[in-house]
Amino acid sequence: MTQLRALVFDVDGTLAETERDGHRRAFNAAFVELGLAWHWDAEAYGVLLEVAGGKERLSHFATGQGLPRGSELDALLARLHRAKTRHYLALLATGNIGLRPGVARVLREAHARGLRLAIATTTTPDNVTMLLDRTLGADALRRFDVIAAGDVVPAKKPAPDIYCWVLERLALEPEHCIAIEDSAIGLRSARAAGLPTLVTHSYYTQHQDFSGALAVLDGLGEPDRLATGHVGAEPWRGVVDLAHLEAWAGRTDRAACRQNATDGAH
Ligand code: XBP
Ligand code: MG
């Protein structure tokens, strides 16, 4: 059996349900602050989430509203995203966005078992720091060997770049890791980098196509709130622990990162 050496966590939707009541509210607060008559309701935002990256999402929306591309729009979007991040950090600072069930337990168990921990996320690095600080405490960051966030790579999810960046810094082969993701975009990114991937779908992603996942569950579960879904094609219900993750590891194709590196594609 392949030895599991690291867990690589996505952030938004995976560590915490941050999108509907966090990022979306921050975007809307930024629109008001900059005097724009834009508003993203929960349903519209769910569609916009098909574009990974807040800056990219804003650009996609603005050009869809007919605003002409160019340096003026770029400047407006940069100001908007800075304002949005400030509002989002203020929301996180309240401590009102907690971790999803089972996340703190699995992190603790993995750390106790000597597994390495990493993060691979599209969101802005400061957002990761604030979320971890408010949910796990000031020393939480030190538990992670690698934190890959936002613009550290040119191509965002579903490109494999962010996971390749993590694997390079962990100096591990993908088959010795498991990625934990909530979305089809994140799954495609992790799989393209060759990582076996557990999907714990979230508020916006429960109906997405998770083909290629090693397991698709509604969370990591807790004894008083069992996770349900399927592992491979088998229905599964329970509490995901390290024994399960170690048993599921190793189900992966060869890494795409080396292939991309050869092609210089990332
Ligand atoms: C989800 C994203 C992020 C957030 C917004 O990231 O696509 O862009 O929606 O955050 P993850 P920013 O990979 O963790 O699921 O505005 O900072 O981009
Ligand atoms: Mg996510």
Side-chain angles (χ1 to χ4, degrees):
M1 177 164 73
T2 303
Q3 190 197 0
L4 180 60
R5 307 275 301 281
L7 299 181
V8 187
F9 285 85
D10 165 55
V11 173
D12 294 307
T14 300
L15 290 185
E17 279 283 13
T18 55
E19 292 289 2
R20 186 189 61 183
D21 299 331
H23 288 296
R24 181 181 68 90
R25 286 176 53 196
F27 280 112
N28 287 331
F31 299 152
V32 171
E33 181 181 324
L34 272 70
L36 292 165
W38 297 347
H39 181 79
W40 292 348
D41 65 24
E43 188 180 350
Y45 189 66
V47 176
L48 286 164
L49 274 173
E50 287 165 14
V51 179
K55 294 191 286 292
E56 294 78 2
R57 197 167 304 142
L58 283 169
S59 177
H60 168 77
F61 178 77
T63 49
Q65 294 293 303
L67 273 68
R69 294 181 189 284
S71 57
E72 212 171 301
L73 179 61
D74 292 347
L76 169 65
L77 297 180
R79 276 179 62 213
L80 258 178
H81 195 254
R82 283 195 300 273
K84 175 264 174 181
T85 300
R86 185 169 17 88
H87 286 288
Y88 181 64
L89 287 170
L91 275 171
L92 288 178
T94 63
N96 290 337
I97 296 182
L99 296 179
R100 292 185 63 185
V103 168
R105 174 181 53 77
V106 167
L107 285 170
R108 219 176 21 252
E109 287 175 8
H111 191 64
R113 231 163 159 114
L115 263 67
R116 300 173 69 192
L117 296 174
I119 279 179
T121 176
T122 307
T123 197
T124 303
D126 287 351
N127 297 345
V128 182
T129 304
M130 182 67 81
L131 177 69
L132 292 177
D133 179 83
R134 285 298 187 277
T135 54
L136 292 172
D139 70 338
L141 280 179
R142 282 196 291 275
R143 292 193 212 169
F144 292 87
D145 286 43
V146 179
I147 295 183
D151 296 330
V152 73
V153 290
K156 294 191 173 166
K157 298 176 183 176
D161 300 46
I162 196 89
Y163 279 99
C164 293
W165 198 91
V166 168
L167 288 172
E168 284 160 17
R169 279 150 190 80
L170 287 175
L172 288 176
E173 292 300 321
E175 58 266 28
H176 293 134
C177 305
I178 283 186
I180 302 175
E181 271 281 358
D182 74 301
S183 68
I185 285 178
L187 170 63
R188 288 186 0 240
S189 175
R191 294 299 297 129
L195 283 85
T197 305
L198 161 61
V199 170
T200 54
H201 52 70
S202 57
Y203 173 80
Y204 279 115
T205 67
Q206 46 200 307
H207 303 301
Q208 292 182 351
D209 174 9
F210 296 123
S211 308
L214 61 80
V216 181
L217 302 173
D218 60 2
L220 292 174
E222 287 293 17
D224 61 349
R225 183 171 173 175
L226 299 181
T228 61
H230 59 273
V231 176
E234 292 304 312
W236 195 92
R237 180 177 160 84
V239 175
V240 177
D241 62 20
L242 268 291
H244 294 120
L245 293 169
E246 281 163 350
W248 298 340
R251 305 185 188 179
T252 179
D253 310 325
R254 293 309 305 156
C257 298
R258 280 195 295 279
Q259 185 56 40
N260 286 345
T262 311
D263 297 348
H266 75 286

